[in-house]
Amino acid sequence: MITNEIFAVSNKPGEVTLKGFNYIKDRLPDDFEVCLIVEKDGHLSAGCWDTGLWSTDHGKIPGSFRQSRGGVLEFDSVLAWLPIEKTEIDIKELWWKQRKNHFSYGCTNWQYFRNR
């Protein structure tokens, strides 16, 4: 299994810079590759690259990103993508204290909604 490595820089709490994105005009993802996506309007999203008949508009475009809730990001709306399914981020230092028995900051919110 191939693992992608990306570089993450955090200089202050709540801020992370990710390096390793590919511009869609330079390179297309592998079929069914799950990606973090930067849209041309500045939104951050995620999706799975698909080159099936519907996703290519019967061969008119290279493909599109399918999203979990049935959404589609067309090829022309994407600026850059980063493969995330098999990506590892080497964290050297955290700017926040990790809570015991919590695997991520978001876990606290998840537990709150789960227990309601």
Side-chain angles (χ1 to χ4, degrees):
M1 175 167 83
I2 297 173
T3 301
N4 303 306
E5 293 184 19
I6 63 169
F7 186 64
V9 179
S10 177
N11 293 320
K12 53 184 152 179
E15 183 179 292
V16 176
T17 301
L18 297 175
K19 297 183 180 186
F21 281 86
N22 299 286
Y23 286 105
I24 195 108
K25 65 180 178 73
D26 295 336
R27 182 173 167 240
L28 298 175
D30 293 334
D31 209 10
F32 302 113
E33 190 159 37
V34 178
C35 301
L36 184 62
I37 302 161
V38 178
E39 297 178 53
K40 288 182 180 176
D41 63 6
H43 287 100
L44 189 62
S45 190
C48 178
W49 181 249
D50 186 11
T51 58
L53 194 58
W54 288 2
S55 294
T56 61
D57 193 15
H58 300 278
K60 295 176 187 169
I61 58 174
S64 58
F65 287 97
R66 297 285 176 178
Q67 297 181 300
S68 63
R69 295 186 178 159
V72 176
L73 290 176
E74 299 293 337
F75 172 79
D76 290 338
S77 67
V78 175
L79 176 65
W81 57 274
L82 176 72
I84 58 173
E85 193 169 21
K86 299 176 212 164
T87 297
E88 293 181 359
I89 300 174
D90 186 12
I91 300 173
K92 300 290 185 194
E93 181 178 344
L94 298 176
W95 286 90
W96 61 90
K97 291 182 182 179
Q98 284 184 305
R99 297 179 184 174
K100 192 173 185 175
N101 298 327
H102 286 84
F103 58 86
S104 72
Y105 179 76
C107 180
T108 304
N109 293 335
W110 176 79
Q111 287 180 340
Y112 170 77
F113 288 112
R114 184 188 69 170
N115 293 329
R116 288 182 59 120

